[in-house]
Amino acid sequence: MHKVNRGIKPKSLNDNATKWTRELLVQVPLNKTFTDIPSKYVNKYKQEDVKQVLTQMYEGLCCYCESPIGVQTYEQIEHLKPKSIFPRFCFEWNNLHLSCQICNISYKKANWDNDNPILDPTVDNIEDFIEIDLESGEIIPISNNERANTTIEHTGLNRVNLVKRRNSIIIIMKKLLKIAVNANEIEEFKEILETMSVDMGYKLLFSSFIKKI
Ligand SMILES: [Zn+2]
């Protein structure tokens, strides 16, 4: 995860969110569970302009695991506060994020911890809460912060494949660092790492590595 600035609210939400929310909230008591509500009342957040602004905001990376989206997984519009628990935030721009299918469907789902909610990349300064162990490739909570713990647990940030991927990048970065040190090209190496983080994702990993150099 890394901090991003929220983009300007897309026109579709600006024009319709209030009306869509009103219509959805009428449906809530009429249905046994949230999933019983006809999708036409729920899925209106899936607008092209919403996807566009979120993709720009997150530079095409998943808001949680920071994997590039669109290579092996489709993008999903993610409700940080689950829409089934907070239907009033279903079309709330500040609640919408971009995530990969694995983070959203396999991990985050409708998980929510009211006492220690997961971190919000558009609000929280992520690097104050979590860091990457450059030996293990795991994400660790700073000072055992409870919200950081919730975030790691609810979004599977230390799932095997992610840790493996981070480790592969760490090994390459360490090898390249040695070459850069020998060639006395540290500053140039840092610049290359910053550029790479945009294309490859895993920005927190790159920034953690750059900080330690
Ligand atoms: Zn993800």
Side-chain angles (χ1 to χ4, degrees), residues 62 64-65 67 72-74 76 99-109 154-156 159 161-162:
C62 171
Y64 300 127
C65 72
S67 299
Q72 290 177 331
T73 167
Y74 289 111
Q76 302 216 307
S99 85
C100 72
Q101 289 170 303
I102 300 172
C103 283
N104 192 15
I105 297 172
S106 302
Y107 289 91
K108 171 77 170 18
K109 298 182 268 193
H154 283 189
T155 62
R159 55 188 184 256
N161 285 347
L162 264 181

Side-chain angles (χ1 to χ4, degrees), residues 73-180:
T73 167
Y74 289 111
E75 82 276 355
Q76 302 216 307
I77 295 173
E78 153 70 359
H79 294 79
L80 194 120
K81 288 186 171 166
K83 55 189 180 300
S84 56
I85 303 174
F86 302 96
R88 67 187 184 280
F89 296 142
C90 188
F91 312 111
E92 167 58 50
W93 175 229
N94 289 331
N95 192 38
L96 302 183
H97 300 260
L98 187 81
S99 85
C100 72
Q101 289 170 303
I102 300 172
C103 283
N104 192 15
I105 297 172
S106 302
Y107 289 91
K108 171 77 170 18
K109 298 182 268 193
N111 285 319
W112 184 253
D113 181 337
N114 231 357
D115 297 327
N116 296 294
I118 70 165
L119 300 169
D120 182 335
T122 61
V123 174
D124 299 306
N125 195 8
I126 303 298
E127 293 188 29
D128 291 342
F129 293 87
I130 54 174
E131 60 186 352
I132 297 208
D133 181 338
L134 294 173
E135 294 305 317
S136 69
E138 290 197 347
I139 288 191
I140 46 176
I142 294 172
S143 310
N144 204 24
N145 180 277
E146 282 302 329
R147 292 187 63 206
N149 281 322
T150 308
T151 304
I152 294 166
E153 191 188 320
H154 283 189
T155 62
L157 285 185
N158 284 329
R159 55 188 184 256
V160 175
N161 285 347
L162 264 181
V163 174
K164 248 192 214 170
R165 180 85 180 126
R166 287 189 210 114
N167 264 323
S168 310
I169 297 172
I170 291 169
I171 290 167
I172 294 168
M173 285 197 294
K174 283 181 176 170
K175 283 183 181 167
L176 290 175
L177 176 61
K178 271 188 189 166
I179 296 170

